[in-house]
Amino acid sequence: NAGVMQNPRHLVRRRGQEARLRCSPMKGHSHVYWYRQLPEEGLKFMVYLQKENIIDESGMPKERFSAEFPKEGPSILRIQQVVRGDSAAYFCASSNLPGTSGSYEQYFGPGTRLTVT
Amino acid sequence: GNSVTQMEGPVTLSEEAFLTINCTYTATGYPSLFWYVQYPGEGLQLLLKATKADDKGSNKGFEATYRKETTSFHLEKGSVQVSDSAVYFCALSGGAISGSARQLTFGSGTQLTVLP
């Protein structure tokens, strides 16, 4: 049973470029979460999505950041016009349907390490 | 809002020593509590969990008990190994049903180094 997949694992962008981070949830999971880990800090929640729907985006910066989870394909976290402060590790997690056994457990991918030069 | 306060590191121990990493939380209602472990260059792995008061989560020799009266979920291991060297994160979520409560709130992480 494949785990949560993220790609690319490492991404380098110049200031002003766009970054696209992809996440494929664990098989059978329909809920995806994105977290950001800044250097020397813990993980901070960004957004929670289910297929074709954003459930909670209270942790997303108001500008330049967007996320989607289409009916087909992976979830995408998009950062437009990147700045040096966006350099961080971005982790995706997935979980089962609410109300099902173990649905409160989130399983994490290996992360995408974004470096903005 | 929810918050997690975790013992600051780094923590350095000799092999076979006893480990405690303190974690306390602030939350409304009855959160679920977790410990995650992160090895260098990797994502987070769920180490153990507890979903209600007095539950004890355990895995790979690690244990933590959900103490509602002290709002704590301290991680313990009786005899650490070199392979336990990693960063440990305490986390909570507000519940399994409500959408906005499902996000994880993390502590700042504790770096553990075990020397042979």
Side-chain angles (χ1 to χ4, degrees):
Chain A
N1 188 13
V4 178
M5 309 290 286
Q6 288 188 252
N7 66 82
R9 294 290 305 274
H10 300 275
L11 182 62
V12 180
R13 285 287 179 265
R14 292 197 183 97
R15 279 180 297 171
Q17 291 185 319
E18 179 179 285
R20 282 184 177 241
L21 288 62
R22 295 174 185 77
C23 169
S24 296
M26 188 176 285
K27 185 176 181 180
H29 286 185
S30 56
H31 291 246
V32 164
Y33 312 76
W34 286 94
Y35 296 84
R36 177 165 64 175
Q37 184 177 33
L38 292 167
E40 308 301 325
E41 292 187 19
L43 283 81
K44 304 293 185 187
F45 167 78
M46 299 181 75
V47 62
Y48 164 33
L49 312 101
Q50 66 181 41
K51 290 278 188 183
E52 299 183 285
N53 193 18
I54 296 175
I55 306 296
D56 179 359
E57 56 182 347
S58 58
M60 286 279 270
K62 298 301 180 192
E63 298 178 348
R64 302 187 297 107
F65 285 73
S66 62
E68 62 176 7
F69 190 14
K71 187 176 180 181
E72 301 290 337
S75 175
I76 306 286
L77 179 68
R78 182 182 178 205
I79 311 172
Q80 295 179 291
Q81 299 175 320
V82 296
V83 301
R84 287 218 172 107
D86 297 333
S87 295
Y90 292 82
F91 290 96
C92 169
S94 71
S95 72
N96 213 336
L97 284 169
T100 55
S101 176
S103 62
Y104 43 78
E105 296 178 19
Q106 294 182 24
Y107 294 87
F108 283 77
T112 294
R113 282 153 181 82
L114 172 66
T115 301
V116 179
T117 60
Chain B
N2 296 343
S3 68
V4 175
T5 301
Q6 194 173 332
M7 173 176 149
E8 293 203 10
V11 174
T12 302
L13 296 173
S14 297
E15 204 164 26
E16 299 183 2
F18 184 84
L19 169 70
T20 299
I21 301 178
N22 289 339
C23 172
T24 57
Y25 66 90
T26 303
T28 55
Y30 302 93
S32 296
L33 302 174
F34 307 86
W35 277 99
Y36 281 85
V37 58
Q38 184 180 30
Y39 298 99
E42 297 184 11
L44 277 72
Q45 299 177 22
L46 178 62
L47 181 60
L48 53 83
K49 65 183 185 291
T51 59
K52 61 183 187 295
D54 300 325
D55 266 2
K56 177 186 281 188
S58 61
N59 186 25
K60 300 180 181 179
F62 291 89
E63 294 183 340
T65 301
Y66 189 148
R67 301 285 188 201
K68 191 171 186 301
E69 64 276 14
T70 54
T71 61
S72 65
F73 194 54
H74 305 320
L75 182 68
E76 296 182 336
K77 187 174 185 182
S79 177
V80 293
Q81 306 300 312
V82 173
S83 57
D84 294 328
S85 298
V87 181
Y88 292 81
F89 291 96
C90 185
L92 68 82
S93 71
I97 305 298
S98 167
S100 64
R102 286 168 62 81
Q103 61 175 268
L104 286 167
T105 299
F106 285 90
S108 56
T110 301
Q111 171 73 57
L112 170 66
T113 301
V114 180
L115 302 176

